[in-house]
Amino acid sequence: MKFRPLHDRVAVRRIEQDEKTRGGIIIPDTAKEKPQEGEVVAVGPGAWDEHGKLVPLDLRAGDRVLFGKWSGTEVKIDGEELMIMKESDVMGVIEGKPAKARKVA
């Protein structure tokens, strides 16, 4: 995939949630909500401040992040569904847990 977000935007691939609850109940596809967790695929160069200086983003490709339920715009690039959002839409980075991204249908 050759895609580079502009300014302070990031491309995020959703990470599929477990199909079972901790109690062992299997969740059917119709009852699942779209995950709010994802892996950063690409980041823009950063935003310009009021003095014309480029401020780089804190996020890096490969970071596992949490984002809001209504954040971003869903797009399909090379057959892969991604979310394009501003860095400010990301709530935080999940540390110490490697991203195991799976495609979400």
Side-chain angles (χ1 to χ4, degrees):
M1 172 182 71
K2 294 204 178 216
F3 176 75
R4 180 179 52 92
L6 297 177
H7 307 293
D8 63 340
R9 289 182 175 80
V10 295
V12 177
R13 179 185 307 120
R14 288 186 192 266
I15 296 177
E16 194 173 308
Q17 301 294 326
D18 292 333
E19 296 183 10
K20 275 200 249 181
T21 64
R22 288 185 186 202
I25 298 171
I26 296 174
I27 303 169
D29 288 340
T30 56
K32 285 185 190 176
E33 289 188 15
K34 288 195 173 188
Q36 294 175 294
E37 192 174 321
E39 176 187 6
V40 176
V41 177
V43 298
W48 298 95
D49 66 8
E50 60 273 358
H51 302 293
K53 186 176 178 185
L54 184 66
V55 179
L57 302 183
D58 290 332
L59 295 174
R60 301 285 172 253
D63 283 348
R64 190 169 181 160
V65 296
L66 289 176
F67 51 88
K69 186 177 271 191
W70 309 110
S71 297
T73 302
E74 293 182 4
V75 296
K76 198 173 230 185
I77 301 172
D78 293 338
E80 184 176 16
E81 289 187 20
L82 298 173
M83 299 284 299
I84 307 297
M85 63 186 73
K86 288 188 167 260
E87 184 185 41
S88 59
D89 290 339
V90 175
M91 293 188 275
V93 177
I94 300 172
E95 303 267 335
K97 193 174 181 184
K100 294 180 193 169
R102 291 174 274 176
K103 290 185 181 178
V104 177

